[in-house]
Amino acid sequence: MSAPLEESGLDQLKRLGRYVFVRRIVTLCAVIMSALLQAFVIKVFVNPANLLSGGFTGLAILIDRITQLFGVSFSTSLGMIALNVPVALLVWRSISRRFVIFSMLQVFLASAFLQFCPFEPLLDNTILCVLFGGVLNGIAISLALKSGASTAGTDFIALMVSNKTGRTIWQYVFVGNCVILCIFGVIFGWEHAAYSIIFQFLSTKTIDSFYRRYERVTLQIVTARPQEVLSAYSSEFHHGSTCFEAYGGYSGKPVTYIVSVISSYESDDVIHLIRRIDPQAVINVCKSENFVGNFHRAPADEPLPAEVDGTPAADPLLGLADNLADAIRSGSEHSASKAKRAQRGMLGSSEEFRHAAETAIEHLDHRGTKE
């Protein structure tokens, strides 16, 4: 009797995801932890070991160090904001606005933590800084990604291009990181650039271990209750499937063989759903090396892997963002209208002044003529 109760409790816990407030709290907490951990890594491992991270954060660090050579300070925290804000404005209407909002919140929080948190270096060994810093940096980025946000920068550009063209630009992002590393190596030494490559490699491998959204697996399901399984599976996860009539090699009883391709992060939820409907179902999970065809992928800006039925379409966060944008737009229009009225008033005043001046000149001319 304990198993059904546990399953019911798990289902109820997951059903909390239908509340927008719960989803946003999950994302907010993860974004705060991600920003704090990222600032910790930069101050404790990256700066003391003279390393360079990837993306816009690495570019901000590079700008900071180059400006210091000329006796000017353009801090990393300021650089992160200055580089990411224009990109956020560029992609605002091209990708999920919720994704942009939480990603920029991560950037602003990380910048604030860098500025105000007094983190001190822990290690004097460069190799240890590379190892621990690379793994922790990957965890910080994974926290943001798994919560439905990111660390902004190149993620924004890649998503915008993918939405518009259906293509990925990560190879260009890799080339951009290589160019930044080359500049860093020329100025600050190739040894530090080599350590930075290892640092970024460890970060990437850590992200691959924790964030597997783009990996796909093939489910091979054998069940005696195909209609119930297919109905629940299709409505809950929105993936297609192929079915074959078969029979058990040992029992000789008729069964249905179902094949479907899903995202790897969905596999646990799918298995739980199928086993709840048919406890006797046999499920085999195989890694899919390549897949060609239509594939449904849940929105990247949601923290929960399963799409929960009953999730409201209206999002108060987006409503707040729209109201803020409308207020800014109305303020701009009002200011522009006042400026136009003032300009018209000035033009009117100048016309009146010119008319009065012409009248006075005519009057003087008339008096001169009479005299």
Side-chain angles (χ1 to χ4, degrees):
M1 296 294 292
S2 60
L5 290 176
E6 291 177 359
E7 291 183 355
S8 177
L10 180 62
D11 291 340
Q12 291 177 2
L13 184 62
K14 286 188 175 182
R15 289 291 166 181
L16 287 174
R18 74 180 183 272
Y19 298 108
V20 174
F21 176 76
V22 174
R23 287 174 175 250
R24 302 304 162 249
I25 289 296
V26 170
T27 302
L28 179 61
C29 293
V31 162
I32 294 173
M33 290 188 292
S34 170
L36 183 62
L37 184 56
Q38 185 181 27
F40 175 81
V41 169
I42 292 174
K43 298 194 74 171
V44 174
F45 300 109
V46 173
N47 288 341
N50 199 17
L51 302 173
L52 194 69
S53 59
F56 278 25
T57 303
L59 183 58
I61 294 173
L62 179 61
I63 293 173
D64 184 9
R65 293 179 183 172
I66 291 176
T67 54
Q68 288 179 12
L69 297 177
F70 298 95
V72 182
S73 178
F74 191 81
S75 65
T76 302
S77 57
L78 180 60
M80 290 170 63
I81 296 175
L83 290 172
N84 282 289
V85 167
V87 179
L89 295 176
L90 175 66
V91 304
W92 175 252
R93 296 187 180 277
S94 301
I95 64 177
S96 167
R97 291 175 292 171
R98 183 168 52 240
F99 184 79
V100 175
I101 291 171
F102 278 115
S103 299
M104 288 307 300
L105 177 62
Q106 198 276 349
V107 172
F108 279 101
L109 286 174
S111 177
F113 291 145
L114 275 175
Q115 194 71 23
F116 300 110
C117 290
F119 296 126
E120 297 294 334
L122 298 178
L123 302 170
D124 294 330
N125 189 296
T126 302
I127 295 178
L128 291 178
C129 286
V130 169
L131 295 177
F132 285 99
V135 173
L136 291 177
N137 188 62
I139 292 174
I141 298 173
S142 298
L143 275 173
L145 291 173
K146 289 182 73 68
S147 68
S150 73
T151 53
T154 53
D155 294 337
F156 284 169
I157 301 173
L159 276 176
M160 181 183 70
V161 174
S162 177
N163 289 345
K164 289 188 174 182
T165 67
R167 299 178 179 179
T168 61
I169 61 167
W170 292 114
Q171 64 273 23
Y172 301 107
V173 174
F174 173 76
V175 172
N177 283 332
C178 290
V179 171
I180 294 174
L181 282 170
C182 288
I183 297 173
F184 179 72
V186 169
I187 299 175
F188 299 100
W190 293 106
E191 181 177 352
H192 294 292
Y195 279 129
S196 299
I197 292 174
I198 300 173
F199 175 89
Q200 294 186 23
F201 174 78
L202 290 174
S203 296
T204 303
K205 295 302 291 184
T206 303
I207 295 170
D208 289 341
S209 299
F210 287 98
Y211 187 70
R212 300 176 305 214
R213 184 175 193 88
Y214 298 104
E215 292 182 3
R216 298 185 180 96
V217 295
T218 300
L219 291 182
Q220 300 171 338
I221 308 163
V222 178
T223 177
R225 303 173 62 181
Q227 295 303 322
E228 297 95 321
V229 169
L230 288 171
S231 176
Y233 171 66
S234 299
S235 63
E236 188 79 16
F237 294 95
H238 312 293
H239 289 299
S241 58
T242 303
C243 306
F244 304 92
E245 295 298 329
Y247 62 90
Y250 178 78
S251 65
K253 295 180 180 179
V255 293
T256 300
Y257 181 77
I258 304 172
V259 181
S260 183
V261 178
I262 62 174
S263 296
S264 60
Y265 70 88
E266 297 175 304
S267 60
D268 290 339
D269 293 313
V270 174
I271 292 171
H272 172 74
L273 173 69
I274 295 172
R275 295 286 291 180
R276 188 181 66 199
I277 296 173
D278 183 4
Q280 304 300 320
V282 177
I283 305 171
N284 183 36
V285 182
C286 307
K287 185 176 180 180
S288 299
E289 294 294 337
N290 193 16
F291 179 84
V292 179
N294 295 327
F295 185 81
H296 172 78
R297 182 176 286 117
D301 59 347
E302 288 294 356
L304 302 180
E307 296 178 5
V308 182
D309 293 336
T311 300
D315 191 331
L317 178 68
L318 297 185
L320 180 63
D322 290 336
N323 292 336
L324 180 61
D326 291 339
I328 295 174
R329 191 182 305 111
S330 299
S332 301
E333 293 174 353
H334 181 66
S335 300
S337 177
K338 287 181 63 177
K340 288 181 179 179
R341 287 199 299 270
Q343 185 179 10
R344 286 197 296 268
M346 291 177 63
L347 290 175
S349 299
S350 62
E351 288 291 333
E352 293 175 359
F353 178 78
R354 185 173 63 82
H355 181 69
E358 290 176 350
T359 303
I361 292 172
E362 290 177 358
H363 180 68
L364 291 174
D365 290 343
H366 181 67
R367 287 183 60 184
T369 303
K370 290 178 64 178
E371 292 175 355

